[in-house]
């Protein structure tokens, strides 16, 4: 019985302590920062969606351009192209090029891609600096041979983003660098031309007849076709569903500015159609830009990017 009473007393004391600790934890204990950390993480960018990748076709185009330059210079070289992480995408060894420079060209490309800059001697390499030389040698060993200060590695940029690099080996450092630069230059020009063609195609597709399907987030009356015809001379014509209208617009890339007060005919219609016409004509001058989405729909936007009208192409 003594043991039982003692055990009961101890149990009561333990329970009292637990209740006290629980009460303290709920009322007086400091709030954990875990919720705050999770909230901060949720507001941070978790992925990047603007990443551009160099393709095999792009790598091969750079090699062809580099080989052409080497032929013009009368030299035989090895040419390697890597992605932004230094992984090999394409390689070519010209007939008669030194086999020993195969590894060198790949190392130059990898080094240029990962250091985000052309390879070559360090700024003070002309001066004797024993400590610097040892540091470079150790860095090369630590990288597994993926770092070099030899000339001939040039990064490939798309805008301001490094998407890969070209490495050339087999001639002098200056000649290798010239061949690599020729490959990069050709690829950069191809990027620009492709971008210009895309913008031009997008602009040309604007110049057609569109059927308006949405006005500022609200639908339209099905049996009355509200249309927009964008013309290459800068004029905009169409139907409000009741009247014909004509106006002028300024188009510059993705910018589209419609002058206020398009001229219209004077026909009258049912109140619902006249109300829709008034809303449509009031939205046109607010348009500042346009976008044609992946489904081929025309979206007319205000200066803040808010959609004002949506339209589909009329065949």
């Amino acid at each position: 019985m003594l043991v039982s009473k003692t055990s009961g007393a101890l149990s009561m004391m333990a329970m009292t302590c637990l209740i006290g600790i629980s009460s303290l934890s709920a009322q007086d204990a400091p709030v954990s920062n875990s919720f705050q950390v999770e909230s901060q993480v949720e507001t941070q960018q978790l992925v990047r969606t603007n990443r551009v990748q160099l393709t095999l076709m792009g790598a091969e185009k750079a090699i062809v351009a580099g080989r052409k330059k080497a032929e013009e210079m009368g030299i035989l070289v090895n040419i390697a192209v890597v992605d932004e992480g230094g992984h090999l995408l394409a390689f070519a060894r010209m007939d008669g090029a030194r086999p020993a420079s195969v590894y060198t060209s790949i190392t130059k490309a990898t080094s240029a891609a990962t250091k985000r800059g052309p390879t070559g001697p360090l700024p003070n390499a002309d001066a004797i600096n024993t400590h610097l030389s040892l540091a470079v040698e150790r860095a090369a060993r630590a990288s597994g041979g993926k770092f070099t200060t030899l000339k001939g590695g040039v990064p490939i940029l798309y805008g301001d983003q490094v998407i890969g690099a070209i490495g050339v080996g087999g001639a002098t450092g200056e000649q290798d660098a010239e061949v690599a630069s020729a490959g990069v230059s050709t690829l950069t020009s191809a990027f620009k031309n492709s971008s210009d063609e895309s913008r031009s195609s997008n602009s040309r597709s604007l110049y057609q007849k569109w059927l308006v399907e949405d006005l500022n987030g609200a639908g339209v009356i099905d049996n009355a076709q509200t249309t927009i015809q964008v013309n290459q001379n800068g004029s905009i014509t169409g139907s409000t569903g009741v009247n014909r209208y004509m106006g002028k617009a300024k188009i510059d890339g993705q910018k589209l500015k419609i002058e206020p007060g398009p001229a219209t005919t004077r026909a009258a219609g049912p109140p619902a159609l006249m109300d829709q016409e008034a809303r449509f004509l009031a939205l046109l001058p607010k348009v500042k830009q346009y976008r044609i989405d992946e489904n081929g729909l025309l979206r007319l936007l205000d200066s803040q990017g808010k959609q004002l009208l949506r339209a589909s192409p009329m065949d």
Side-chain angles (χ1 to χ4, degrees):
M1 290 296 292
L2 180 59
V3 174
S4 176
K5 288 181 179 180
T6 303
S7 299
L10 290 173
S11 298
M12 289 296 292
M13 290 175 62
M15 186 176 295
T16 302
C17 290
L18 287 173
I19 292 172
I21 292 171
S22 177
S23 176
L24 175 62
S25 299
Q27 297 177 11
D28 302 325
V31 179
S32 172
N33 289 328
S34 62
F35 177 75
Q36 296 176 0
V37 171
E38 289 176 1
S39 298
Q40 292 173 0
V41 170
E42 288 176 358
T43 62
Q44 293 176 353
Q45 187 178 14
L46 300 180
V47 296
R48 295 185 183 275
T49 58
N50 61 338
R51 185 168 175 263
V52 180
Q53 286 186 300
L54 180 64
T55 64
L56 175 60
M57 184 179 294
E60 290 174 339
K61 188 176 185 68
I63 284 181
V64 170
R67 188 181 66 191
K68 182 179 179 180
K69 182 65 177 178
E71 290 172 348
E72 292 174 356
M73 297 170 64
I75 57 177
L76 303 174
V77 294
N78 300 274
I79 307 172
V81 180
V82 300
D83 65 14
E84 77 281 5
H87 307 104
L88 187 65
L89 277 175
F91 174 84
R93 177 186 166 202
M94 296 178 66
D95 295 337
R98 289 203 306 253
S101 297
V102 171
Y103 177 77
T104 304
S105 64
I106 297 174
T107 303
K108 290 178 181 180
T110 302
S111 182
T114 54
K115 75 187 283 283
R116 301 298 194 254
T119 61
L122 298 178
N124 58 346
D126 292 335
I128 298 175
N129 189 323
T130 303
H131 293 294
L132 178 61
S133 299
L134 290 174
V136 171
E137 290 178 9
R138 288 169 183 168
R141 285 198 300 269
S143 68
K146 295 180 181 180
F147 174 79
T148 181
T149 57
L150 296 175
K151 291 182 178 180
V154 180
I156 301 169
L157 275 72
Y158 188 90
D160 59 354
Q161 180 179 341
V162 174
I163 61 171
I166 301 177
V168 178
T172 67
E174 289 74 15
Q175 290 173 326
D176 290 342
E178 189 173 350
V179 171
S181 295
V184 170
S185 178
T186 297
L187 205 52
T188 302
S189 296
F191 292 156
K192 185 179 184 301
N193 292 337
S194 176
S195 179
D196 290 343
E197 288 175 4
S198 177
R199 284 195 295 268
S200 176
S201 175
N202 199 17
S203 297
R204 285 197 301 270
S205 65
L206 175 67
Y207 302 123
Q208 56 180 297
K209 192 174 183 179
W210 301 88
L211 177 64
V212 176
E213 298 177 334
D214 181 272
L215 293 175
N216 207 17
V220 295
I221 299 172
D222 291 335
N223 61 355
Q225 290 193 334
T226 301
T227 63
I228 300 176
Q229 172 76 50
V230 184
N231 304 302
Q232 300 246 8
N233 63 3
S235 65
I236 291 186
T237 59
S239 172
T240 66
V242 178
N243 288 288
R244 299 289 302 172
Y245 69 91
M246 178 179 291
K248 293 183 179 180
K250 293 182 179 179
I251 304 169
D252 182 12
Q254 298 300 112
K255 296 180 180 179
L256 173 62
K257 183 179 180 181
I258 302 174
E259 293 183 2
T264 66
T265 55
R266 299 290 183 174
L273 290 180
M274 298 306 294
D275 175 67
Q276 178 171 287
E277 176 183 277
R279 289 189 293 117
F280 171 70
L281 294 175
L283 287 173
L284 288 181
K286 297 180 181 179
V287 173
K288 303 300 179 186
Q289 53 187 314
Y290 78 94
R291 179 171 65 87
I292 299 175
D293 66 19
E294 62 277 6
N295 297 315
L297 298 178
L298 173 65
R299 301 180 183 274
L300 301 182
L301 317 170
D302 65 11
S303 59
Q304 303 300 316
K306 178 185 176 184
Q307 179 177 294
L308 300 174
L309 298 98
R310 186 188 74 237
S312 60
M314 297 181 70
D315 297 327

